[in-house]
């Protein structure tokens, strides 16, 4: 068991190598080593999923060398091209000892708590055992998507239309381990939470300063680690979704120049759209928020916002192409008719959702974020992508629950603690974005290194 | 255009850093207070199933399937039965990942009996007491919480 668990975890860590090229993009190269490794892991997961989907469409069986070699070659090619382009220098981190030790301690304790919750089986997602892991082990067994399984009428509980990132990434781990180490896989979910932390810290340094960015990273880590454990998110798609959405959002919130490359947010938003159905909803909300945040001609803002949606749209389109190629039902299965709503349930839905926003920590992260936002309300536009994501996602969930013919309270109890986590993350990041102290300046943007000098 | 401000000590930046950190400590303390981990020692114990501390009943169903899986040959069809329909559905869903080399034919699906499917299965994994109609089937293995039968055995 220990050997297969170690092999599985090594397989997950190898995503860094599969997406290493992304760490050399000029916009990513100015980040620290840990943040670049995290960016590479995200890129690796996205690239592996797209490649695995293409292989399944073409009927090419998945093997470790067959999947890894093209991605490694692509990474080398991208790295060699991007290394020729200049990148802003990274400013050295300057933190007071007290803040550094305090933030690092909170992060370490929070992530340790999350990892122990997952390894001890106290936060395992039953959905992992009912379908995420089932798909992974079956896909690894047949070396590709199993169309027969996906069209089996006795497999509809496994929502066969869900996008494929998590089953692919877990199947990759199964190929590396030779079997599914069921008890160890939930622990890998903690890696996604841990990977988000250096990216959030590095991006918010430019907006908050090093000390407050470290404090924000500690707060985010504590709030979301506790929430992931509380919501039984071990082994399911919540942790990767949170990684993709939060890091993409952090990037958009901390842009300093309207011409800044959106390579990284586009990449991770592809990951969000490939992780869960509501991931694409989040992409659309983030793009709308970006439109509100940016200044300048509407046409330019609209083009940049639409570009955020375009690549995730292509990725989801590829998944739908696989469905079409195997005569499966194409698209996502709706929860009833779009406007076939039962507004009479609203009186039950709203209190139930509110109750399940406690995030395992007595609503404290929400209260903290809301109080901070209330104090900085005039600066709301700086945080528009986060505010639109947070409010929009909660509204979308309420809209979804209103489709239930019966009392949705029980379903809210199962799902809301999990699916509201990106809204919580966005609320925390919104508070951070409005709390920054920025000097207005009329000159063109400068690189991070010049700004610090 | 805006320029970032980077401060390491004094003033509002340090204050904000401490506010975030104190907030983080408060959240972590509240989270530990509400934690589902029964004891600190339980956090370091290797669980017998992935569900030990999540759902005791589901953990028992998982353990039953792990004991039963070797009794069903690769490629053979099987079904799962339990006195409780919810348990039967849970067993079926869990079995798809554990007995992934075999063919699953549910006896019920979301509580609705599916005899056209389940009755075609060669092996029957029974959680709890067996139903009388299995009297003619061969007992392949008895495990703590149930048994595995083979129908139409030669």
């Amino acid at each position: 068991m220990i050997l297969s668990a170690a092999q599985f975890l090594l397989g997950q860590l190898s995503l860094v190598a599969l997406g290493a090229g992304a760490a050399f993009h000029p916009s990513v190269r100015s980040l620290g080593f840990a943040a670049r490794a995290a960016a590479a892991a995200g890129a690796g997961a996205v690239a592996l999923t797209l490649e695995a989907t293409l292989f399944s469409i073409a009927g090419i069986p998945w093997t470790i060398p067959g999947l890894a070699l093209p991605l490694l070659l692509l990474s080398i090619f991208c790295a060699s091209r991007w290394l020729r382009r200049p990148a802003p220098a990274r400013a050295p981190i300057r933190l007071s000892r007290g803040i550094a030790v305090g933030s690092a301690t909170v992060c370490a304790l929070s992530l340790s708590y999350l990892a122990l919750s997952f390894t001890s089986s106290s936060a395992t997602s039953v959905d992992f055992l009912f379908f995420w892991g089932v798909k992974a082990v079956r896909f690894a067994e047949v070396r590709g998507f199993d169309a027969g399984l996906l069209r089996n009428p006795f497999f509809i509980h496994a929502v066969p239309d869900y996008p494929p990132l998590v089953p692919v990434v877990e199947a990759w781990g199964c190929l590396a381990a030779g079997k599914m180490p069921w008890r160890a896989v939930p622990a890998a979910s903690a890696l996604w939470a841990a990977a988000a932390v250096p990216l959030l810290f590095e991006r918010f340094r430019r907006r908050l300063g090093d000390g407050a960015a470290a404090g924000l990273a500690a707060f985010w880590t504590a709030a979301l680690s506790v929430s992931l454990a509380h919501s039984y998110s071990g082994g399911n798609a919540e942790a990767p979704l949170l990684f993709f959405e939060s890091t993409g959002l952090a990037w958009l919130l901390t842009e300093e120049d309207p011409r800044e490359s959106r390579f990284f947010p586009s990449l991770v938003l592809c990951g969000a759209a490939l992780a869960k159905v509501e991931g694409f909803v989040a992409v659309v909300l983030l793009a709308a928020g970006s439109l509100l945040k940016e200044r300048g001609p509407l046409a330019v803002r609209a083009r940049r916002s639409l570009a955020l949606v375009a690549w995730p749209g292509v990725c989801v389109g590829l998944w739908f192409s696989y469905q079409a190629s195997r005569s499966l039902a194409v698209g996502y299965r709706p929860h009833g008719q779009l406007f076939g709503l039962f507004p009479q349930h609203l009186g039950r839905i709203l209190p139930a959702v509110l109750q399940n926003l406690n995030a395992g920590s007595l609503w404290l992260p929400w209260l903290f974020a809301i109080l901070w936002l209330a104090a900085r309300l005039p600066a709301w536009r700086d945080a528009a992508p986060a505010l639109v994501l947070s409010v929009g996602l909660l509204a979308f969930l309420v809209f979804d629950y209103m489709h239930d013919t019966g009392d949705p309270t029980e379903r809210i109890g199962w799902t809301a603690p999990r699916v509201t986590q990106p809204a919580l993350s966005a609320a925390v990041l919104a508070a951070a974005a409005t709390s920054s102290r920025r000097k207005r300046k009329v000159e063109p943007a400068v690189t991070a290194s010049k700004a610090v000098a | 255009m805006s320029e970032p401000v980077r401060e390491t000590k004094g003033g509002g930046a340090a204050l904000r850093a401490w506010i975030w950190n104190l907030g983080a400590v408060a959240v972590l303390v509240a989270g530990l207070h509400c934690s589902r981990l029964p004891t600190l020692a339980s956090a370091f114990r290797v669980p017998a199933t992935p569900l030990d501390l999540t759902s005791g009943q589901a953990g028992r169903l998982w353990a039953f399937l792990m004991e039963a899986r070797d009794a069903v040959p690769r490629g053979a069809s099987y079904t799962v039965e339990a006195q409780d329909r919810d348990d039967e559905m849970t067993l079926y869903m869990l079995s798809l990942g554990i007995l992934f080399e075999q063919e699953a034919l549910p006896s019920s699906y979301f509580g609705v009996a599916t005899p056209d499917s389940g009755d075609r299965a060669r092996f029957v994994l029974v959680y709890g007491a067996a139903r009388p109609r299995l009297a003619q089937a061969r007992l392949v293995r008895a495990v703590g919480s149930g048994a595995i039968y083979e129908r139409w055995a030669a």
Side-chain angles (χ1 to χ4, degrees):
Chain A
M1 186 268 182
I2 292 174
L3 181 63
S4 61
Q7 288 170 323
F8 183 93
L9 290 174
L10 274 177
Q12 302 298 288
L13 291 172
S14 73
L15 294 173
V16 176
L18 300 185
F24 293 91
H25 188 273
S27 64
V28 180
R29 216 156 70 226
S30 58
L31 304 176
F33 175 79
R36 290 174 71 190
V46 172
L48 180 69
T49 304
L50 296 176
E51 186 191 36
T53 308
L54 284 170
F55 274 31
S56 284
I57 290 172
I60 302 170
W62 298 352
T63 61
I64 290 179
L67 288 167
L69 272 178
L71 297 183
L72 292 173
L73 290 174
L74 179 67
S75 271
I76 291 168
F77 173 75
C78 289
S80 63
R81 271 182 68 91
W82 286 333
L83 271 172
R84 289 187 213 133
R85 288 166 51 181
R90 178 171 181 256
I93 297 172
R94 293 184 215 142
L95 279 173
S96 73
R97 186 182 298 271
I99 290 171
V101 170
S103 303
T105 304
V106 171
C107 284
L109 285 175
S110 303
L111 291 172
S112 300
Y113 169 68
L114 180 63
L116 286 172
S117 295
F118 286 155
T119 55
S120 67
S121 81
S122 73
T124 303
S125 163
V126 287
D127 286 351
F128 161 60
L129 304 171
F130 286 165
F131 62 87
W132 295 111
V134 173
K135 287 180 185 175
V137 78
R138 294 263 174 166
F139 294 172
E141 174 69 8
V142 302
R143 307 273 170 164
F145 296 144
D146 187 343
L149 181 72
L150 296 175
R151 72 164 66 88
N152 185 338
F154 295 125
F155 197 61
I156 55 165
H157 65 272
V159 275
D161 52 320
Y162 268 19
L165 185 137
V166 171
V168 167
V169 168
E170 290 181 352
W172 169 253
C174 288
L175 289 175
K179 64 176 186 176
M180 174 66 97
W182 292 100
R183 285 175 289 172
V185 176
S189 296
L191 294 175
W192 289 104
V197 180
L199 279 163
L200 298 182
F201 169 66
E202 289 277 354
R203 283 300 290 190
F204 272 96
R205 285 179 68 199
R206 49 171 48 204
R207 204 171 165 87
L208 304 181
D210 290 355
L216 164 70
F219 186 88
W220 186 93
T221 310
L224 274 304
S225 294
V226 168
S227 179
L228 284 165
H230 169 75
S231 61
Y232 300 107
S233 293
N236 65 14
E238 304 307 331
L241 182 70
L242 204 55
F243 168 85
F244 290 123
E245 289 184 8
S246 300
T247 57
L249 172 61
W251 196 282
L252 295 175
L253 290 173
T254 53
E255 283 179 332
E256 293 169 344
D257 185 335
R259 292 160 298 179
E260 198 172 321
S261 167
R262 284 189 164 174
F263 164 78
F264 181 80
S266 299
L267 179 75
V268 289
L269 293 185
C270 289
L274 287 168
K276 285 194 84 182
V277 176
E278 62 263 34
F280 194 76
V281 175
V283 171
V284 173
L285 292 168
L286 279 174
S290 166
L291 187 73
L292 284 173
K293 174 180 174 272
E294 288 198 47
R295 293 169 171 85
L298 179 64
V300 176
R301 289 188 287 143
R303 196 181 68 236
R304 277 171 63 80
S305 292
L306 281 175
L308 286 174
V309 182
W311 285 111
V314 170
C315 291
V316 173
L318 186 68
W319 167 237
F320 292 166
S321 300
Y322 168 78
Q323 294 175 328
S325 74
R326 296 298 183 274
S327 304
L328 298 165
V330 177
Y332 295 138
R333 192 180 52 183
H335 286 176
Q337 290 189 331
L338 184 60
F339 294 108
L341 304 175
F342 295 88
Q344 63 269 33
H345 294 320
L346 208 55
R348 290 192 179 122
I349 291 171
L350 294 178
V353 169
L354 200 61
Q355 187 186 349
N356 283 287
L357 287 178
N358 73 72
S361 51
L362 309 172
W363 295 270
L364 281 182
W366 279 105
L367 287 173
F368 191 91
I370 289 168
L371 285 176
W372 203 304
L373 280 166
R376 301 282 303 179
L377 207 53
W380 71 270
R381 195 167 170 177
D382 288 340
L387 291 172
V388 172
L389 176 60
S390 190
V391 176
L393 199 55
L394 291 177
F396 170 78
L397 293 172
V398 169
F399 178 74
D400 182 49
Y401 294 136
M402 282 171 68
H403 285 80
D404 287 15
T405 49
D407 184 353
T409 310
E410 194 177 353
R411 185 163 81 90
I412 294 170
W414 296 336
T415 57
R418 289 187 286 111
V419 297
T420 58
Q421 291 177 117
L424 170 61
S425 171
V428 172
L429 298 182
T434 57
S435 74
S436 63
R437 190 162 67 84
R438 297 193 306 166
K439 289 176 183 168
R440 293 284 168 205
K441 166 173 194 264
V442 289
E443 296 161 36
V446 292
T447 62
S449 57
K450 287 178 185 167
V452 176
Chain B
M1 297 303 150
S2 59
E3 180 181 344
V5 176
R6 189 164 282 119
E7 294 175 6
T8 55
K9 50 185 156 183
L15 178 64
R16 280 196 294 274
W18 281 115
I19 291 173
W20 280 112
N21 265 309
L22 290 173
V25 170
V27 168
L28 186 57
V29 169
L32 293 174
H33 173 71
C34 303
S35 172
R36 290 200 182 91
L37 281 169
T39 61
L40 187 61
S42 66
F44 293 95
R45 192 177 58 83
V46 177
T49 79
L51 293 158
D52 282 8
L53 298 180
T54 305
S55 162
Q57 174 60 6
R60 284 186 283 279
L61 299 176
W62 180 275
F64 165 68
L65 289 168
M66 292 300 280
E67 285 182 295
R69 67 175 174 175
D70 293 339
V72 184
R74 184 179 184 149
S77 60
Y78 72 90
T79 192
V80 286
E81 290 185 359
Q83 299 290 330
D84 182 271
R85 286 289 195 205
D86 285 343
D87 283 349
E88 196 163 282
M89 183 63 194
T90 302
L91 279 168
Y92 170 69
M93 292 190 287
L94 295 176
S95 75
L96 292 173
I98 296 173
L99 288 90
F100 60 89
E101 293 176 314
Q102 292 84 354
E103 184 191 6
L105 298 168
S107 295
S108 66
Y109 197 64
F110 285 116
V112 178
T114 54
D116 291 349
S117 164
D119 287 353
R120 289 191 288 118
R122 184 172 148 208
F123 288 87
V124 186
L125 281 54
V126 181
Y127 181 76
R131 292 168 189 170
R133 61 195 177 83
L134 280 173
Q136 303 300 316
R138 179 176 76 90
L139 176 67
V140 177
R141 181 187 296 174
V143 296
S145 49
I148 299 93
Y149 295 89
E150 183 184 9
R151 290 167 171 153
W152 320 302

